[in-house]
Amino acid sequence: MRLITAVIKPFKLDDVKAALEQFGVQGMTVSEASGYGRQRGHTEVYRGAEYQVDLVPKVRLEVLAEEDDAEDVIDVIVKAAQTGKIGDGKVWSVPVDAVVRVRTGERGPEAL
């Protein structure tokens, strides 16, 4: 089992969600995030004053997947989130030792 985490641009969330649902992913966790990568934020002008925005708004998406499906899920996320511009985000996966559905006590793949 793998936990796939993606940090993407907020306006791409609907595209990624639709692509994952079409692939067959049944559940995901989405949260607001902020940060920066190589772009180091950006400058904006508000009422004539220029100021530095250090942390860029992002969306963090987490999906549990079977080991065999993990690479495919990553590919689906990357294709749906990609704009070709700086700040598109990152996707990574880590192994998961145990998963338990709280309501029923099911463990492992049955808990997905």
Side-chain angles (χ1 to χ4, degrees), residues 5-13 15-16 35-40 56-61 74 77-92:
T5 305
V7 176
I8 61 172
K9 291 182 175 182
F11 71 90
K12 295 300 282 182
L13 177 60
D15 295 342
V16 172
Y36 67 88
R38 290 185 181 164
Q39 80 268 23
R40 300 274 187 223
V56 180
K58 300 286 183 180
V59 171
R60 181 180 175 123
L61 178 82
I74 291 171
I77 293 170
V78 169
K79 286 176 187 165
Q82 196 171 50
T83 67
K85 297 181 181 169
I86 193 164
D88 274 354
K90 294 273 190 291
V91 181
W92 64 90

Side-chain angles (χ1 to χ4, degrees), residues 15-25 28 61 63 73 76-77:
D15 295 342
V16 172
K17 194 172 112 180
L20 286 171
E21 287 172 355
Q22 186 175 8
F23 180 76
V25 170
M28 64 187 76
L61 178 82
V63 177
V73 170
V76 167
I77 293 170

Side-chain angles (χ1 to χ4, degrees), residues 37-100:
R38 290 185 181 164
Q39 80 268 23
R40 300 274 187 223
H42 60 278
T43 58
E44 288 188 6
V45 177
Y46 179 71
R47 294 190 177 184
E50 187 174 290
Y51 63 98
Q52 182 72 21
V53 177
D54 293 330
L55 299 176
V56 180
K58 300 286 183 180
V59 171
R60 181 180 175 123
L61 178 82
E62 295 173 309
V63 177
L64 278 172
E66 295 269 1
E67 194 78 35
D68 297 340
D69 293 335
E71 283 300 317
D72 293 333
V73 170
I74 291 171
D75 291 340
V76 167
I77 293 170
V78 169
K79 286 176 187 165
Q82 196 171 50
T83 67
K85 297 181 181 169
I86 193 164
D88 274 354
K90 294 273 190 291
V91 181
W92 64 90
S93 72
V94 294
V96 174
D97 294 331
V99 177
V100 179

